[in-house]
Structures are given as structure tokens and as C-alpha cells.
Amino acid sequence: MHPLPTAHETAHAQALLHYIDQSPSPWHAVDTTKTHLEAAGYLPLAERDLWKISPGARHYVIRGDSSIIAFRQGTLPPSEAGFRILGAHTDSPGLRIKPHGHLREGRLVRLGVEVYGGPILASFSDRDLSLAGRVSIKGERGIESRLVRFESPLLRLPNLAIHMNRSVNEEGLKFNKQTELPLILGQMLPEAPSQTLLYDLIAERLKVESSSILSLELNVHETQPGTLWGAHSEFLASRQIDNLSSCHAALSALLSGAESPMTQVIALFDHEEIGSESHQGAQGSFLSDVLSRLAGGDTENERRALARTLLVSADAAHAFHPSFSSAYEPLHHVQINEGPALKINANQRYAT
């Protein structure tokens, strides 16, 4: 019999669930991470400013509101001790609201969505969905960025009744992305304009005029909180485990770590699900820019530091599913609650 979860393990799992519940979008994930860092004494840095980093200093820097790098400077210069880096990503597969997404069918108003990354679209059906993300508004001092979140159910993707889709159990639940995937937002009187409904809801939440809203970047999220389940509460269920679980692990490791000769770094990137090829993505210059400055900006010292560096790329792995055993390598099963999984690829696409 597998040993029961310890009190420490249960507390850590609950902390992970709370972290995910507070992070329904990449922008919220960075904000949640920032809150934990500041509570532990980490101070913000801006890329446009001059950095003066002393040994043992604890700081964080944000790029694009959705990627964050935090570090504890080592007691030795990076050129002498190197970096210890843990990387993860703040985004998850899902749905994003189109900029002009209002669709009206009679009195029903729907919101058009774009597919972000590679989600299982059927998993959004008949769920309590809502919105969270970043809104740009016209403020007194120019364009301002605000976070917005609706905690209660706001949207739904109702499934088609079995009477009208008799083959669904044989052919699977499928949605046309353009015509069938838009989410129902609400019901309006025939004479009422539907194009401002979402803007009015956001304006009310942010306490601004709807006319001041310039753009929206909104993530569709499930409102049901994460939970522990199973005969002994040994399993965990939540949205966005890919990859907020690794973000939380990185943050927990940094905050619980002791002072070290090596400079400890966590790098949580946006846009991994769509290739990482952005200004704040992992293939952008964010991490290399930060490491260069921590190494002193000198090419020789930077190369010496990198030669002494270890970087772990942390992401979610697919645990063995007994109902679909044929999908797994027969001698390489990843077992739940048996520790971290080490993933390698012979074609050098990743080593996670």
C-alpha cells in the first residue's frame, strides 16, 4: 500500500492549489508571484534603470507584465560560482477573447474566441467559465495597464443535446472554431446594443468609463477551484497545472533556499505554448539580458559565469493513464506521486 500523504505534502499541495486559483491568466500569475516575492523581501528592478547589485541582494524584474525573473545574488561573483537557474512558463493552453468578439443571435450574445496553444476544446464544454487578463485604458497620464478578473461564472459553452448529436459518443465531441466555439455571454433586449456588453462589464469592475478601454487581452478560465481528491486525497485536480505547477515549485524553491555562493535564479516565461518566440518568451533576450547584467556586463566574466551554470527547464510530464496504456512507452511510465520525472529527447528538442 502506498504511504498516505504527510501533513507537509498536503500543505504544499494546498499551497499550489491556492497559487493556481490566484493566477487565472499569465498576467495574474506574474502578479501572484510578485506578491510572494515582495512578502519575502524581494525588491523590484526596472530594465531601463541602472542596476547596482550587492552580494545576497534579492530582486525581481518583469517584462511585458507576463514574464518575471527573480534572483538571490550569490556571495561570490557569478564569474566565480555561476548561476543556478530554474525555468518554467506562466501561460497555459486555452481560449482567448477576440478583440471584436461580440456575436449576436436574436437576444443571445456570444464572444468569439481564438485558440491559444493546444487545448482539448471539448474540456471547455458545460463548464463554469469566466474571464481574466489585462486591459489597456486611457488614463490621465497616458495608457495604463490594469488587471481584471471575474471570479463568478460569466461564460458557457453549452453542449449540443444528445438528441441532436447521436454520434457524439462514437465520433467524439467536436467544435467548429469559428461557428460553434464562441461562448455565450448573456441575453439582451432586441433594441439594446450588444457590442458594448463586455466593455461595460469590465468598466464596472475597474470603475472606469467604458469609452476609456483601448484594448483587451482576456483569458478564458474555469471558475471551479482546484481540489485534492482520491481515497486518501492523494491526487490533485486543477486548471493550468501546465505549467503553474512548475512556477510554484520554482518560487517555493527560491523562497526556501539558503544563501549560497551561486546566484539563484527563477525565470518564468510567457508564450511557451505558442513557441516562446516573443520579446518576453524563453527564446527572447529576457534571461540573457538579466544574466549579462548580473555577471557585470563584461563578456569575459559572463562567459565564465555561464560555464559554471546549471539550468533546469521545468514543465509538466504525462503520468501513466491505465485506460490508455498504448499511448505510453512501455518501459518509461511516469508514475504519480513517485517524484520528479526527468525527460530527455534523442533529437535534442528538450531536456526537461
Side-chain angles (χ1 to χ4, degrees), residues 35-322:
T35 299
H36 284 274
L37 289 168
E38 290 181 345
Y42 283 72
L43 301 175
L45 292 172
E47 291 191 82
R48 63 179 177 271
D49 293 340
L50 178 66
W51 292 5
K52 294 182 179 179
I53 309 298
S54 58
R58 294 171 292 175
H59 293 280
Y60 69 87
V61 57
I62 295 171
R63 180 179 284 188
D65 292 338
S66 58
S67 294
I68 185 170
I69 293 176
F71 62 88
R72 183 206 298 262
Q73 189 77 353
T75 56
L76 292 178
S79 59
E80 299 296 332
F83 300 101
R84 294 298 180 266
I85 307 171
L86 206 164
H89 63 91
T90 60
D91 61 328
S92 302
L95 303 175
R96 300 284 175 91
I97 300 299
K98 291 182 177 179
H100 300 285
H102 289 82
L103 302 169
R104 188 162 183 167
E105 297 286 342
R107 293 180 60 184
L108 290 177
V109 179
R110 298 187 299 161
L111 293 180
V113 294
E114 284 188 283
V115 176
Y116 181 88
I120 301 175
L121 297 180
S123 67
F124 287 85
S125 177
D126 290 320
R127 297 288 185 95
D128 295 333
L129 305 175
S130 202
L131 294 173
R134 180 173 67 168
V135 179
S136 296
I137 65 170
K138 185 177 181 180
E140 294 181 356
R141 293 176 293 180
I143 298 176
E144 300 176 6
S145 180
R146 302 272 192 90
L147 292 183
V148 66
R149 177 185 184 181
F150 294 91
E151 291 86 358
S152 59
L154 188 66
L155 303 165
R156 201 165 190 89
L157 179 62
N159 195 3
L160 186 62
I162 186 68
H163 314 80
M164 304 173 186
N165 190 12
R166 293 292 187 185
S167 61
V168 63
N169 291 323
E170 288 73 36
E171 299 179 4
L173 182 57
K174 302 175 183 178
F175 292 98
N176 181 287
K177 297 177 183 178
Q178 188 68 27
T179 61
E180 298 169 346
L181 199 56
L183 309 173
I184 293 180
L185 172 63
Q187 198 173 37
M188 301 191 69
L189 295 174
E191 64 273 14
S194 62
Q195 296 301 316
T196 62
L197 178 56
L198 179 58
Y199 279 64
D200 291 342
L201 291 171
I202 293 173
E204 181 181 5
R205 179 58 58 98
L206 296 179
K207 294 180 171 53
V208 300
E209 296 294 329
S210 60
S211 58
S212 70
I213 298 175
L214 301 176
S215 67
L216 309 172
E217 296 174 272
L218 298 178
N219 185 55
V220 177
H221 70 91
E222 185 183 8
T223 60
Q224 181 177 345
T227 187
L228 301 179
W229 66 280
H232 307 291
S233 296
E234 67 267 52
F235 302 123
L236 179 151
S238 179
R239 64 171 195 266
Q240 296 168 273
I241 291 176
D242 178 14
N243 185 34
L244 293 184
S245 57
S246 296
C247 291
H248 181 260
L251 176 63
S252 299
L254 182 65
L255 296 184
S256 63
E259 195 170 65
S260 166
M262 291 82 72
T263 295
Q264 303 161 26
V265 182
I266 64 170
L268 313 182
F269 298 104
D270 195 6
H271 299 152
E272 190 273 347
E273 297 292 347
I274 54 173
S276 299
E277 297 177 350
S278 67
H279 180 52
Q280 66 256 45
Q283 293 199 51
S285 65
F286 191 20
L287 181 58
S288 59
D289 288 347
V290 171
L291 296 184
S292 176
R293 298 176 77 163
L294 296 184
D298 176 81
T299 301
E300 182 66 19
N301 282 334
E302 181 182 349
R303 289 174 177 172
R304 292 176 62 206
L306 293 179
R308 291 177 165 89
T309 290
L310 174 66
L311 185 151
V312 174
S313 174
D315 207 337
H318 301 98
F320 177 68
H321 191 324

